[in-house]
């Protein structure tokens, strides 16, 4: 399982971590439903933390739909699960046992501007609309937790041991239980 742009010369596994609300110290306090988008309102400026085009998921454990915890399937109605998964950007696999895994889609962030054209530093928008009867979405303890899925960070440094023309570094992932790495693209 590979692609033509990357061939395995040597492989190093790096510890990666995504940017999260907990790591950034910035949470979603509330949201505003608009006809063409949903605006996320944060407790602090997200300038220099979140960028337009970042892919964001909202942690399902922090979401309430119509007053019920989205992650509690004993009390939450099926229609509310649907709204919760749509809002979170993570969908449960329907061909496996409950809790066996999620399919991460996420939401592409967009900058929000004030009427005078200036950026609103505590707001970002996601392309999610709700129709004429939107659910009531809130957050556990007023703290909407999130994860950036389009980027990961590492404290590791990669360095060649000898000069070599055309040296490429590729990144990939090995899914749970997979024996080989699927290469995705060259690293920037």
């Amino acid at each position: 399982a590979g692609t033509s742009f990357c061939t395995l010369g040597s492989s190093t596994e790096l510890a990666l971590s995504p940017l999260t609300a907990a790591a950034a110290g910035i949470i979603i306090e509330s949201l505003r439903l608009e006809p063409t988008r949903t605006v996320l309102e944060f407790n602090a400026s997200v300038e220099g933390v979140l960028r337009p085009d970042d892919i964001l998921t909202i942690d399902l454990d922090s979401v309430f739909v119509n007053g019920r915890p989205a992650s509690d399937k004993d009390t939450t109605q099926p229609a509310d699960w649907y709204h919760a998964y749509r809002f979170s950007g993570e969908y449960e696999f329907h061909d496996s046992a409950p809790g066996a895994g999620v399919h991460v889609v996420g939401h592409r962030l967009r900058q929000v501007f004030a009427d005078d054209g200036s950026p609103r530093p505590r707001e970002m928008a996601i392309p999610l609309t709700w129709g004429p009867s939107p659910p009531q979405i809130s957050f556990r303890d007023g703290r909407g937790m999130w994860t950036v899925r389009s980027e990961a960070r590492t404290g590791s440094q990669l360095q060649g041991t000898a000069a070599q023309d055309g040296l490429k570094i590729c990144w990939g992932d090995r899914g749970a239980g997979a024996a080989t790495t699927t290469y995705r693209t060259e690293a920037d």
Side-chain angles (χ1 to χ4, degrees):
T3 59
S4 61
F5 58 84
C6 289
T7 57
L8 184 61
S10 64
S11 177
T12 300
E13 292 195 17
L14 301 175
L16 299 175
S17 57
L19 177 61
T20 65
I26 300 173
I27 59 165
I28 305 168
E29 283 187 320
S30 61
L31 53 108
R32 188 172 66 246
L33 307 180
E34 295 182 353
T36 60
R37 64 187 184 174
T38 297
V39 176
L40 308 175
E41 300 171 344
F42 296 87
N43 67 324
S45 172
V46 295
E47 288 182 318
V49 178
L50 298 176
R51 298 178 309 236
D53 294 327
D54 278 347
I55 303 297
L56 189 89
T57 58
I58 293 123
D59 300 359
L60 198 59
D61 288 339
S62 72
V63 176
F64 278 62
V65 178
N66 295 324
R68 296 182 192 98
S71 58
D72 183 358
K73 290 199 172 180
D74 292 331
T75 63
T76 304
Q77 302 300 313
D80 292 340
W81 299 340
Y82 169 75
H83 293 307
Y85 283 120
R86 260 186 92 221
F87 178 63
S88 75
E90 297 182 4
Y91 297 85
E92 195 172 65
F93 286 123
H94 293 284
D95 58 350
S96 60
V102 295
H103 177 67
V104 176
V105 176
H107 301 289
R108 185 172 304 274
L109 293 176
R110 296 288 181 233
Q111 184 75 52
V112 176
F113 296 94
D115 291 340
D116 66 2
S118 61
R120 300 186 82 155
R122 292 178 53 172
E123 297 180 357
M124 293 294 271
I126 58 175
L128 186 61
T129 60
W130 297 97
S133 300
Q136 179 188 15
I137 295 179
S138 59
F139 301 106
R140 181 181 308 275
D141 301 322
R143 299 176 54 84
M145 306 304 281
W146 50 266
T147 302
V148 173
R149 301 298 184 159
S150 51
E151 181 178 312
R153 297 187 168 116
T154 182
S156 300
Q157 181 179 0
L158 300 177
Q159 183 175 351
T161 57
Q164 182 177 344
D165 288 338
L167 183 63
K168 294 181 180 184
I169 297 175
C170 300
W171 72 269
D173 60 76
R174 189 177 314 169
T180 60
T181 299
T182 301
Y183 290 100
R184 304 294 178 188
T185 191
E186 290 181 27
D188 292 333

